[in-house]
Amino acid sequence: MNCRFNLDGRKVLLILSAMLCLLAASAGAQTSSGQLTITMSVQSSISLVFQDNPSVGTTGFCPLTNAGTNNVGLDLGTAAFPGNFHTSTCVNYQHITAAFYEVRSAFDVVVSKANSSSPNYRLAAQISTPPPNGVVWLVNNVTLTNTGFTALDAADNFGQRITKTLQVQVRNNVPAQVLLETITFLATAN
Amino acid sequence: MLKTYISIMRGAALAAMLLCGGSALAQTTATGVINGVLINKNGISLQFDTDPAGVTLGAAGTNAATANFGAVSAFGPLAAGVTRPSVTAANFTVRTIFDVQVIQGGLTSTTYTLTANLAAAAPTGLSYKVDAVTLTTASQTIQTNAGYNTDIAHNLDLVVSTAAPGAGGPAVGAPITTTINFTATAN
């Protein structure tokens, strides 16, 4: 068998070029790709938080516990009808009639919005349980009930502090007891 | 006596020759060979896996997975596996975690580089980050020297403008879909 190959210069160059191409291909960086497809839906939302009023600590502006959240505490201390007695140094105490005294403290409500074209919001509030006879819970002089939300404001601006004053009015014949209420505030975008 | 003995021996010899000849003719074995050839190529592959702390990926374990954040908002509830690490007046961020696993074979490479890019421009009011790298349609490096054959967790952040629709914010109440291309390159 004749095993001789007849290679001229052009064939040699061609073979060498092919080999170089193969080598170059094998030497190239190995890559792999993938696709991650993300789906979501943006929803409008608003939030309500309670803040200490800038005048906190002065008379009528008690500090909130857990301020900056939507679940705060407001301690009005101990009070009694006789002698204008009250232990808290930050509450505003006064006799409002011959038979009632009132303890009040103010705080701020801040409602923020996101992804909404609503121009403002309305604010309402509700107490959690019926108060004892002779006890009235109010916000900005609006009496609250536990049977439904009572409107406080019709068009408050988002992102602004809205100062609200919580008042507890107690008749002078109310027995000694702890007066406790959870007051729910409801902001609704207009 | 001697003649008889010689005759017996001749007969025995003939029989032996016949037997030997018979066995040589009746061949009962055969041989063959297989010339096996395998071309072992080198290569790498990329797949997305569900991270225990993230949303459950659709088509996990493949290189074409989906991640559904569900309904997202600045203040409302979020789907399982989605967190909201920040809320500012201007925007909020929702996050999930996904895993990337790159497998290699036949390479001397011990690490890879991961890059990513958006398949199309981000929708209005949205931007996308992987491990704090804000994505564009141009490829950007997410990680260098990543190890093979193990799930590597990555944060996927969606930064959503709080602006209202039409005022620079994203569309509200409609599904928004975006595709991110990932490429792993052997180092």
Side-chain angles (χ1 to χ4, degrees), chain A residues 30 32 35 38-40 42 115, chain B residues 42 63 161-162 173 176 178 184:
Chain A
Q30 289 282 348
S32 180
Q35 289 188 326
I38 301 154
T39 304
M40 55 116 176
V42 178
N115 307 112
Chain B
N42 54 24
N63 68 345
S161 166
T162 56
I176 298 173
T178 303

Side-chain angles (χ1 to χ4, degrees), chain A residues 49-64:
Chain A
V49 296
F50 301 102
Q51 298 280 12
D52 286 327
N53 186 275
S55 299
V56 66
T58 62
T59 300
F61 297 93
C62 292
L64 302 172

Side-chain angles (χ1 to χ4, degrees), chain B residues 35-128:
Chain B
N35 297 304
V37 177
L38 170 66
I39 301 172
N40 177 38
K41 290 188 67 176
N42 54 24
I44 64 175
S45 69
L46 179 153
Q47 69 181 52
F48 302 102
D49 292 327
T50 297
D51 188 274
V55 298
T56 300
L57 300 182
T62 74
N63 68 345
T66 58
N68 188 356
F69 279 69
V72 300
S73 63
F75 307 113
L78 298 172
V82 179
T83 60
R84 187 167 38 222
S86 76
V87 179
T88 70
N91 58 55
F92 66 95
T93 300
V94 288
R95 171 179 293 172
T96 194
I97 302 173
F98 67 99
D99 292 349
V100 171
Q101 182 169 186
V102 175
I103 298 169
Q104 73 94 357
L107 294 174
T108 56
S109 164
T110 56
T111 60
Y112 67 90
T113 296
L114 186 67
T115 60
N117 67 281
L118 295 176
T124 299
L126 294 173
S127 62
Y128 297 78

